[in-house]
Amino acid sequence: MKNKKLLLVFLLCGTLLIGLLSACGQNAESKRSADNDLGKSEEKEEKKTKTYEATNGTVEIPSNPERIIVIADSYVGYFLTLGIQPLGISDFSMNNRYFEGKLDGVESLGDSNNPSMEKMIDLNPDLIITFNDPKAVENLEKIAPTIAINYGEKSYKEQLREFGEITGRERSAEEWIEQWESKIAEWKPKIKEMVGDQTVSILSPFSKGIYAFGHSYGRGGEIIYGEFGLKAPDTVQEMAIDSGEGWADFSLETLPDIAGDIIFTCPWSGDEADPEQVYGSKLWKELPAVKQNKVIELDPSAAFFNDPTSLDQQLDFIIESLQNNM
């Protein structure tokens, strides 16, 4: 009888021990599961941001930013091409006719050199794009992650790819480049045949003389010289294109040397100079391009821009203008 009681006690203790071990195992498994879930959550959280090497250093930005303010006028159209409407842009960009119908609901932030900080704070952006001005960048970084860009360091195709990478829209960038290159391939031989050996110049009167633009400073130069490969006057080729600057300034007296057989022109939008000082001068009126009605007027509100959205419409304008003036 005594032995039976001892056996019963041993059996009860064994059962309790197994239960305790099982409970401990379940707790450990639950802890591991919780730890795994936490790890996955942290990993997911980490993937919401990424680091980007910008001109202003390493910047931690959202993986797929969508609430974007673009202070740098030149880059608004890149985001429109990628299917992203900026929250806010400068007054100058708002007036670009190539953006008509694409900016509904976009906030105007004032002058790009002195945008409204209060409006930007209210817009609560997750990314700001600006030109590389250290003092301005320092203030903007207090509002949101800020990427500063040196104008002209990259071609417009490279810049579009970069913005595609920043926003997670690489495919959209490549699609635009593919359709663009297809249009250029179609029209380049036609334009080259139409223009032949005639030279083309892009001129803008300003307060101290005349700007001549090359292949990388807007006004259609990316298309005229860069894509179509049309000839510039020798002086313009040397000073504005071969130099890599994209532009050069000249005195009025040099006008006959920088004027091509075909001239694209508009007043300079960066000062209050009277363009008639050039357009009304005897030197201008005596130019062969003027006498032969081969002067094509650019829209001063839009000529500055060389983003993909603007380039698409500039291409149509340049093709139509050359067809009508040959």
Side-chain angles (χ1 to χ4, degrees):
M1 185 72 173
K2 184 177 179 180
N3 290 337
K4 288 183 178 179
K5 288 182 178 180
L6 287 172
L7 179 61
L8 182 59
V9 170
F10 285 137
L11 288 172
L12 288 171
C13 288
T15 302
L16 288 171
L17 181 60
I18 291 170
L20 286 171
L21 290 172
S22 176
C24 288
Q26 289 175 356
N27 287 339
E29 184 62 33
S30 296
K31 185 176 185 304
R32 281 195 296 272
S33 177
D35 288 344
N36 286 338
D37 289 343
L38 180 60
K40 290 178 181 178
S41 176
E42 289 175 346
E43 183 181 355
K44 185 177 180 182
E45 194 69 30
E46 288 174 3
K47 289 183 178 179
K48 289 183 179 179
T49 63
K50 59 187 176 184
T51 57
Y52 182 79
E53 295 300 326
T55 304
N56 53 313
T58 302
V59 184
E60 186 171 352
I61 64 174
S63 294
N64 295 292
E66 294 183 351
R67 298 183 60 78
I68 302 172
I69 285 176
V70 185
I71 299 300
D73 303 305
S74 304
Y75 302 118
V76 172
Y78 286 89
F79 292 91
L80 295 176
T81 294
L82 293 172
I84 298 173
Q85 188 184 63
L87 293 175
I89 61 177
S90 74
D91 289 346
F92 187 61
S93 296
M94 292 290 287
N95 291 326
N96 179 2
R97 70 178 181 83
Y98 293 143
F99 297 161
E100 286 179 5
K102 302 177 187 297
L103 299 177
D104 294 343
V106 176
E107 186 78 24
S108 181
L109 301 173
D111 192 303
S112 58
N113 294 318
N114 188 29
S116 170
M117 301 294 282
E118 292 79 7
K119 285 184 178 181
M120 285 192 282
I121 291 170
D122 290 341
L123 289 172
N124 188 31
D126 56 23
L127 183 65
I128 299 173
I129 304 294
T130 186
F131 287 127
N132 187 26
D133 177 347
K135 185 175 181 180
V137 169
E138 183 180 354
N139 290 326
L140 294 172
E141 287 175 333
K142 297 173 184 176
I143 299 174
T146 299
I147 291 177
I149 300 174
N150 286 327
Y151 178 84
E153 276 193 346
K154 293 179 172 63
S155 71
Y156 60 89
K157 293 176 188 176
E158 292 170 333
Q159 191 65 68
L160 182 62
R161 287 189 172 107
E162 182 177 16
F163 285 138
E165 177 186 345
I166 289 170
T167 59
R169 303 202 179 195
E170 294 91 340
R171 185 62 247 166
S172 295
E174 293 303 325
E175 285 174 355
W176 183 87
I177 291 170
E178 287 169 9
Q179 64 84 26
W180 173 259
E181 291 180 343
S182 176
K183 285 196 286 189
I184 295 299
E186 175 189 355
W187 279 102
K188 182 175 181 176
K190 298 176 184 178
I191 295 297
K192 294 275 281 187
E193 182 179 1
M194 186 188 309
V195 174
D197 290 331
Q198 296 181 90
T199 57
V200 183
S201 56
I202 307 169
L203 306 177
S204 283
F206 77 112
S207 59
K208 296 180 181 180
I210 305 167
Y211 285 125
F213 294 98
H215 62 305
S216 61
Y217 226 81
R219 288 91 186 167
E222 287 79 5
I223 299 168
I224 292 167
Y225 302 127
E227 295 292 3
F228 288 159
L230 300 181
K231 291 172 58 178
D234 290 341
T235 304
V236 174
Q237 179 69 39
E238 178 185 354
M239 301 294 290
I241 300 175
D242 294 344
S243 68
E245 291 293 330
W247 63 278
D249 61 282
F250 299 91
S251 64
L252 179 60
E253 290 73 24
T254 64
L255 183 56
D257 296 327
I258 62 174
D261 300 311
I262 303 164
I263 298 174
F264 286 82
T265 187
C266 69
W268 171 243
S269 58
D271 62 27
E272 300 299 323
D274 181 4
E276 283 306 308
Q277 290 181 347
V278 173
Y279 297 146
S281 70
K282 183 177 180 181
L283 278 173
W284 178 268
K285 292 177 179 179
E286 291 297 318
L287 294 174
V290 176
K291 289 184 173 181
Q292 296 170 22
N293 294 317
K294 292 185 177 180
V295 176
I296 298 165
E297 294 185 13
L298 300 166
D299 184 336
S301 73
F304 163 89
F305 295 89
N306 56 0
D307 59 83
T309 299
S310 300
L311 286 172
D312 265 329
Q313 296 175 72
Q314 284 180 7
L315 177 62
D316 294 339
F317 172 77
I318 289 168
I319 291 170
E320 182 180 353
S321 298
L322 290 173
Q323 286 176 325
N324 293 337
N325 285 271
M326 289 299 99

